[in-house]
Amino acid sequence: MEPISTTNLSWSYQGIDGAVSADELRQARVILQRELQKSLSASLSLVEWYETVNELHDRIARKAVELCIQGMVEEGLGQPPVPYAFIVFGSSGREEATLWSDQDNGMIISDAPHAGKEEYFTELGIRIANLLEQLGYAKCEGKVMCSEPLWRKTLESWKEQLFEWSSDLNWEPIRNLIIASDMRFVAGEVSLADAWLASFYEQFRRVPELSDAVLRNTVKHKATLNILGRVVTERFGEHAGGFDVKYGVYIPLVNSARFLALQHGIQESSTFKRMERLTLLEAVPFPLMDACQRAFAAALKLRRSTPVVIQGELQQSSGFLDEKQMKQKQIHYDLRETLGLVKRVHRALQRQLRFEERRRL
């Protein structure tokens, strides 16, 4: 993906690509983040804005990996002994990360034999996660990071793991498989990521019931419209009166598009691209797919609109629209309309699940 062509953005990307230390890399991120949040949020389209934000994150991640390897070389630990791929999951995998998204990453290591490769990549994974935290990317609460053995494996071990998750249709293994489905290559040897993807999609051909298991996970989310069609806001705590955009609107749509893409063998990680492919294939009735796309664009816009605070020069957001925003007529109207579309999609998937479960009896 090429950066949006503006002088300031190009200069900032040069700051990332040319950084020789963690401090320089962090400062380059601060500069571009400020531009994206203020001046460029108005001049770029919603899609361009998210593309630029995720290009920023990719470049920072690649430079962070490079700096960590450079540090290991300087300490006498050498270059990576075998090829590897640094990969991302979650919103980064879908190229939908916000400016304040946390870490969701992993690593694929070549099966080529080398006596010290496990120790080397264990150390490298820990260093990458720590450096990204230093750069303002909070560590994933679910520990989906290359510092964790579950998400840092040789290619053969990854294939075994994907087989194991696919063979157990209980909630947790399917949850991990769903996380894995958003994998995207960022740095290293791309052929490892390609082989990983081939193995991932092979599991859906091997286990026909897998799609139903993913669908069962997909249709579970909290109600965000009551029976009167009113928006359900938080009742208690620091976000009382506010609305959780991420889990109330965004994630249900991401989950729905992901399931439909997996069901139809679409090998895209971006939600927009998944929806575009579903439309081209006519895999889903057009009115439903059109509702999905309109709702998702609105969800991304709302997600970008949540209040931001500055911590250590970097932006952070809870992901909630606050009580003051919820009293604005336009925001409330847009949210209610979007939730109506989400509910429509959700009901269609619930009907599909009931049909599939009856069919398998």
Side-chain angles (χ1 to χ4, degrees):
M1 183 188 302
E2 291 298 319
I4 303 301
S5 179
T6 72
T7 302
N8 287 340
L9 280 174
S10 297
W11 181 88
S12 297
Y13 284 146
Q14 289 170 11
I16 292 170
D17 298 340
V20 296
S21 69
D23 288 341
E24 285 188 14
L25 187 53
R26 181 184 171 93
Q27 191 56 36
R29 180 188 178 188
V30 168
I31 291 168
L32 183 50
Q33 182 175 270
R34 190 180 299 128
E35 293 174 0
L36 281 163
Q37 186 64 20
K38 294 182 179 179
S39 59
L40 292 173
S41 61
S43 61
L44 297 177
S45 71
L46 187 70
V47 171
E48 287 175 334
W49 190 85
Y50 273 96
E51 285 178 346
T52 307
V53 167
N54 284 273
E55 173 71 14
L56 163 69
H57 294 320
D58 284 0
R59 286 175 179 256
I60 290 173
R62 283 193 287 268
K63 177 56 68 169
V65 172
E66 181 185 317
L67 289 176
C68 287
I69 292 174
Q70 180 183 320
M72 293 181 73
V73 170
E74 291 171 355
E75 293 174 29
L77 298 174
Q79 292 283 346
V82 298
Y84 71 94
F86 178 80
I87 54 179
V88 289
F89 303 101
S91 60
S92 289
R94 297 186 299 272
E95 299 178 86
E96 296 155 11
T98 61
L99 288 170
W100 45 84
S101 291
D102 62 1
Q103 294 188 48
D104 281 290
N105 53 58
M107 195 177 291
I108 309 167
I109 303 161
S110 168
D111 293 315
H114 190 283
K117 73 177 182 181
E118 182 176 350
E119 292 79 6
Y120 185 95
F121 286 106
T122 296
E123 178 65 21
L124 179 59
I126 291 169
R127 290 191 185 207
I128 292 171
N130 288 340
L131 178 53
L132 288 173
E133 183 180 37
Q134 187 180 343
L135 297 173
Y137 298 92
K139 288 186 174 179
C140 174
E141 291 184 2
K143 296 187 176 181
V144 182
M145 296 178 292
C146 60
S147 55
E148 302 296 320
L150 184 60
W151 300 97
R152 183 193 67 249
K153 297 178 182 294
T154 63
L155 179 59
E156 189 59 35
S157 293
W158 262 119
K159 289 179 179 179
E160 292 172 2
Q161 182 67 81
L162 293 172
F163 182 92
E164 183 180 318
W165 284 340
S166 304
S167 302
D168 184 346
L169 303 184
N170 289 310
W171 179 268
E172 190 64 24
I174 295 301
R175 176 182 172 275
N176 286 331
L177 196 69
I178 287 172
I179 292 171
S181 70
D182 292 333
M183 188 279 277
R184 185 170 62 85
F185 169 82
V186 171
E189 177 53 59
V190 68
S191 64
L192 290 169
D194 291 341
W196 187 103
L197 283 171
S199 178
F200 176 88
Y201 286 102
E202 174 59 30
Q203 306 313 315
F204 283 82
R205 290 187 288 271
R206 184 181 66 85
V207 185
E209 300 83 6
L210 205 50
S211 288
D212 290 354
V214 171
L215 182 54
R216 278 193 292 274
N217 281 42
T218 295
V219 298
K220 292 190 176 182
H221 74 279
K222 64 182 181 181
T224 48
L225 283 177
N226 64 21
I227 58 173
L228 300 177
R230 293 174 181 167
V231 178
V232 178
T233 56
E234 296 293 311
R235 295 182 60 192
F236 307 106
E238 62 177 314
H239 302 300
F243 183 85
D244 186 348
V245 173
K246 180 177 180 180
Y247 290 101
V249 179
Y250 171 70
I251 290 298
L253 289 166
V254 165
N255 289 347
S256 298
R258 180 196 293 114
F259 160 71
L260 291 168
L262 290 172
Q263 184 185 40
H264 293 282
I266 294 171
Q267 298 186 20
E268 299 280 2
S269 62
S270 157
T271 303
F272 265 134
K273 291 176 183 176
R274 284 168 171 166
M275 290 180 175
E276 287 173 357
R277 289 281 293 141
L278 286 163
T279 301
L280 288 172
L281 290 174
E282 298 182 348
V284 180
F286 178 77
L288 182 62
M289 204 65 254
D290 181 59
C292 276
Q293 290 175 304
R294 287 187 288 121
F296 188 66
L300 288 181
K301 184 177 179 181
L302 288 166
R303 199 168 179 226
R304 192 177 68 174
S305 301
T306 58
V308 170
V309 296
I310 304 298
Q311 295 180 352
E313 296 187 288
L314 292 168
Q315 299 171 28
Q316 299 294 329
S317 174
S318 66
F320 281 77
L321 293 171
D322 63 25
E323 188 173 14
K324 183 179 178 181
Q325 289 176 301
M326 291 299 294
K327 291 179 180 177
Q328 296 177 25
K329 288 184 178 180
Q330 190 60 49
I331 286 181
H332 196 275
Y333 174 80
D334 290 345
L335 180 58
R336 190 173 61 185
E337 289 295 299
T338 303
L339 287 171
L341 295 172
V342 171
K343 192 171 184 178
R344 179 178 165 189
V345 173
H346 186 249
R347 282 178 171 171
L349 292 180
Q350 284 180 316
R351 287 195 297 271
Q352 181 171 343
L353 178 59
R354 288 194 294 270
F355 172 79
E356 293 295 336
E357 289 179 336
R358 286 196 299 267
R359 189 170 64 87
R360 293 188 185 280
L361 289 177

